[in-house]
Amino acid sequence: RNPNKWILPKWVRQKIEGYNKEQYQKGLRDPVYPEDYCYYGVEGNPHFTSLLRHHEINMLNMVPRPVRHVHFLTEHVGAGIDGPTALYLDTINSKQNYWGSSIMETHRDVVRSNSKTGVPVTGITLTRLLTETVLPGGHVMIKIDIEGAEYALLEEAINSTIFCKLVKDQGVRIDMVNEFHHKRVTGTEELGKRWIAMKGDKHITECGVQYSLGMRGMR
């Protein structure tokens, strides 16, 4: 496979270049590179817990490190409320790393998997994650693809005003890409209707977030 065609690394590279250009125009700092960033990943499926911990240790022991710091929040899911919740597992899409696991019982891959009992995980809001990891004047890149939970995650962040606080008050640049999942995947159209009614995208961009939708199109 040709790495030049990998969508996420290309997006990351473009955003780092954009941040460097922005900082240069302000005359504030030397350029930053991928190894200057900290990486935080959130993965709910316990199937991947040991593997991610292994990768975390390996990356932290690399010389030089590909990133400044890395930490996977295993058995955690992006959510609208911090605390205990349940993840319903996709058990049929092994080639896609069980990408249909969701906190929504109505998700099509959860239904196809006949997963009627969720596994216990911990929900984490975007507000908490950003508050605990972002430094003033920094650069944050956020990728969201969480099988229907994006609506509650982003609504909570809008209500907490975390985006505006970081961008307007602390001088943070936020680049965010989000993949919305609609009725065909989630099994309900109410989430999408609520998001449109509350003008969610507008609230995000008005805070100054560099916001785009989808990397490979909506599933």
Side-chain angles (χ1 to χ4, degrees):
R1 296 183 180 182
N2 185 355
N4 292 323
K5 294 183 179 180
W6 293 353
I7 298 175
L8 182 57
K10 183 183 294 185
W11 180 82
V12 169
R13 184 175 66 249
Q14 290 172 347
K15 298 311 174 184
I16 292 177
E17 290 172 353
Y19 176 69
N20 281 330
K21 182 178 180 180
E22 185 179 273
Q23 296 300 305
Y24 176 78
Q25 290 172 344
K26 294 178 181 178
L28 295 179
R29 65 177 65 193
D30 294 330
V32 295
Y33 301 95
E35 58 267 29
D36 296 313
Y37 286 76
C38 297
Y39 177 87
Y40 296 91
V42 179
E43 173 57 59
N45 195 331
H47 176 81
F48 299 107
T49 296
S50 60
L51 178 63
L52 290 174
R53 287 177 178 167
H54 174 75
H55 286 324
E56 181 178 309
I57 292 170
N58 278 352
M59 281 188 279
L60 290 174
N61 287 329
M62 287 181 180
V63 180
R65 287 185 187 175
V67 292
R68 177 176 292 185
H69 180 70
V70 60
H71 179 59
F72 295 102
L73 286 81
T74 54
E75 297 176 34
H76 280 65
V77 294
I81 300 174
D82 292 304
T85 188
L87 179 70
Y88 297 90
L89 299 181
D90 166 8
T91 60
I92 59 175
N93 293 303
S94 59
K95 292 183 179 180
Q96 290 79 29
N97 293 318
Y98 308 108
W99 65 356
S101 297
S102 174
I103 64 173
M104 301 186 63
E105 295 180 74
T106 56
H107 189 288
R108 68 179 181 188
D109 291 334
V110 171
V111 174
R112 290 171 180 172
S113 300
N114 197 30
S115 297
K116 298 179 180 179
T117 303
V119 297
V121 293
T122 301
I124 184 169
T125 60
L126 201 50
T127 298
R128 179 182 173 191
L129 183 60
L130 293 174
T131 299
E132 294 182 357
T133 59
V134 177
L135 297 174
H139 180 208
V140 181
M141 290 175 280
I142 305 170
K143 177 182 179 291
I144 302 172
D145 184 1
I146 52 177
E147 305 303 314
E150 61 272 10
Y151 296 98
L153 181 84
L154 290 173
E155 182 173 348
E156 185 281 332
I158 289 171
N159 290 337
S160 78
T161 70
I162 186 63
F163 295 135
C164 287
K165 288 176 181 175
L166 290 175
V167 176
K168 296 182 177 180
D169 298 342
Q170 299 186 30
V172 175
R173 171 170 170 145
I174 299 179
D175 287 291
M176 180 166 67
V177 60
N178 172 49
E179 184 165 342
F180 278 117
H181 298 79
H182 298 303
K183 181 181 179 180
R184 184 168 63 90
V185 174
T186 64
T188 177
E189 59 185 12
E190 296 306 314
L191 298 173
K193 287 183 176 180
R194 178 180 174 85
W195 182 256
I196 292 172
M198 67 176 285
K199 300 180 180 179
D201 293 337
K202 182 180 179 182
H203 283 293
I204 292 172
T205 55
E206 284 182 344
C207 284
V209 176
Q210 308 295 313
Y211 180 56
S212 56
L213 296 175
M215 288 195 163
R216 61 176 184 274
M218 292 175 287
R219 290 175 55 210

